[in-house]
Amino acid sequence: MSDAVMVLEDGRVFRGAAYGAEGETLGEAVFCTAMTGYQETLTDPSYHRQIVVATAPQIGNTGWNDEDDESGRIWVAGYAVRDPARRASNWRATTTLPEELRRQNVVGISGIDTRALVRHLRTRGSMKAGIFSGSAAAASVDDLLARVTGQPTMLGADLAEEVSTDGLYTIEPTGEHRFTVVAVDLGIKTNTPRMFAERGIRVHVVPSNVTLDRIKELKPDGVFLSNGPGDPATQDGAVDLTKAVLGEGIPLFGICFGNQILGRALGLKTYKMKFGHRGINVPVVDHATGQISITAQNHGFALEGAAGQRFDTPFGAAEVSHTCANDGTVEGVRLVDGRAFSVQYHPEAAAGPHDAAYLFDRFAGLMEGA
């Protein structure tokens, strides 16, 4: 096992061992507090161009299987872990995590003090980083730091099109067909269409650059805006599409990146968070009911706003419907008449708790009422 080094843009250096593929990778260093679900995390398109630091100390103990991928590939730019499992032990495992990382050429580092690294990122904020192993780690720290700082920032990154599907595909409903939804793929996870299908909903997944005319050709009962990577301030096309869908009166539901797109369409602005929310235990308050849900989240940008804030839009009155119980971050918006709503977290919960699965039923009820 060769040496590896992780270099942050502020000059902080962590030395460890190569994990997965050897070589060089660059990205934004972020941390994920989930204790389980590393396979779902690594294959989540929302992590495109990010180096993920796992706060759970041991990673890889359940190996890698053919069932839990949330997309067709690993999307993280790199992976940093403390204590890699010496063997995989799970009846569904088809290979080990490091073997899969090598197969997909994902560069990682192990054996570093991830506690110190996470505390540093919480204090200084998510930042540019690089992992270098094998011959790439032989360069001077100054040289490696220059490569790290020379990469583009996540602020202003337009990434949704890079992870979106190239063409339409359809997920058929389980059992009797009730509704048809067009899902705009900004970085959709596999479990989302599955959750719709379980409720009798046919899902047409379409590219991020889909037009309103193409959506209308599919005769949907509703439109869904998915999660995805990058800066929502770059998504003028998706925002204009959302405005057009709202203007047609088609019921609309969005999650994560889709929440930011709907918020922008309603007139709110977005900002880059210091270190974001990434984990499966984030408490969110629904201000209509007072109910708190424990949620799965993965976002480094958020909407501006405050709990219960009401504001006027070209589509009627809107409000901030949900906020994070930890820090007050906006976690949901909706039109007061109910025909469009979104949340910042992941109700499809892969991995994560199922507290928010009812939102798929709420959307089905909205389409039924329409």
Side-chain angles (χ1 to χ4, degrees):
M1 188 179 297
S2 67
D3 293 337
V5 59
M6 183 171 180
V7 179
L8 305 183
E9 69 173 297
D10 64 357
R12 187 78 183 266
V13 175
F14 293 84
R15 297 188 181 277
Y19 188 58
E22 292 187 5
E24 169 184 331
T25 189
L26 302 173
E28 180 187 47
V30 301
F31 60 88
C32 177
T33 62
M35 297 293 289
T36 62
Y38 57 78
Q39 181 169 339
E40 291 92 335
T41 294
L42 294 173
T43 55
D44 180 353
S46 297
Y47 281 113
H48 180 37
R49 242 180 64 183
Q50 292 181 316
I51 295 173
V52 176
V53 182
T55 63
Q58 187 175 68
I59 294 293
N61 55 322
T62 56
W64 192 274
N65 63 63
D66 296 329
E67 302 170 40
D68 291 341
D69 287 355
E70 284 302 312
S71 68
R73 52 166 283 192
I74 293 175
W75 281 103
V76 303
Y79 202 30
V81 304
R82 172 71 184 97
D83 181 19
R86 288 176 289 179
R87 63 179 62 88
S89 179
N90 187 275
W91 67 276
R92 293 192 304 145
T94 55
T95 186
T96 68
L97 173 57
E99 286 171 349
E100 188 64 21
L101 292 172
R102 284 192 289 270
R103 189 183 76 82
Q104 298 199 37
N105 199 34
V106 178
V107 176
I109 186 171
S110 66
I112 64 172
D113 188 345
T114 50
R115 295 170 302 174
L117 175 51
V118 169
R119 286 175 66 91
H120 188 70
L121 294 176
R122 279 184 59 90
T123 302
R124 301 294 298 272
S126 300
M127 63 182 73
K128 298 176 184 177
I131 299 175
F132 309 89
S133 59
S135 60
S140 69
V141 171
D142 286 344
D143 183 30
L144 299 180
L145 182 59
R147 297 183 212 175
V148 168
T149 57
Q151 68 180 294
T153 64
M154 192 58 69
L155 188 68
D158 184 356
L159 303 179
E161 192 170 348
E162 296 180 15
V163 303
S164 183
T165 180
D166 292 329
L168 179 147
Y169 64 92
T170 301
I171 306 298
E172 292 294 337
T174 303
E176 182 183 356
H177 171 247
R178 297 172 62 205
F179 305 109
T180 297
V181 163
V182 170
V184 181
D185 180 7
L186 304 166
I188 200 167
K189 293 168 66 178
T190 301
N191 203 42
T192 303
R194 187 183 299 134
M195 295 287 278
F196 281 125
E198 290 173 356
R199 291 159 172 81
I201 299 171
R202 176 178 293 118
V203 183
H204 297 302
V205 183
V206 297
S208 61
N209 59 0
V210 67
T211 63
L212 177 64
D213 287 343
R214 179 59 177 136
I215 288 177
K216 291 170 68 175
E217 287 173 5
L218 297 169
K219 296 180 171 55
D221 300 294
V223 170
F224 173 76
L225 302 175
S226 81
N227 60 292
D231 186 345
T234 65
Q235 296 301 306
D236 290 346
V239 171
D240 288 342
L241 175 66
T242 302
K243 290 178 179 178
V245 169
L246 294 175
E248 292 288 327
I250 303 171
L252 185 140
F253 175 33
I255 66 169
C256 197
F257 204 60
N259 176 63
Q260 297 158 9
I261 300 304
L262 176 58
R264 281 196 58 200
L266 297 178
L268 298 180
K269 295 181 179 179
T270 59
Y271 66 95
K272 191 174 191 303
M273 304 170 72
K274 184 175 181 180
F275 50 80
H277 295 160
R278 297 176 182 87
I280 59 177
N281 60 346
V282 183
V284 170
V285 182
D286 181 341
H287 294 289
T289 64
Q291 177 181 342
I292 295 179
S293 297
I294 304 302
T295 69
Q297 300 200 12
N298 171 18
H299 65 109
F301 293 83
L303 291 169
E304 294 181 355
Q309 174 185 337
R310 285 209 172 196
F311 52 99
D312 293 325
T313 81
F315 313 101
E319 66 181 1
V320 173
S321 57
H322 299 69
T323 55
C324 179
N326 288 338
D327 58 14
T329 300
V330 173
E331 295 282 357
V333 294
R334 73 181 191 103
L335 286 176
V336 173
D337 67 12
R339 61 193 166 96
F341 69 99
S342 60
V343 293
Q344 186 59 62
Y345 45 94
H346 287 254
E348 85 291 342
H354 299 163
D355 294 24
Y358 72 91
L359 291 170
F360 291 98
D361 298 312
R362 177 182 291 180
F363 189 41
L366 177 58
M367 291 186 288
E368 188 170 34

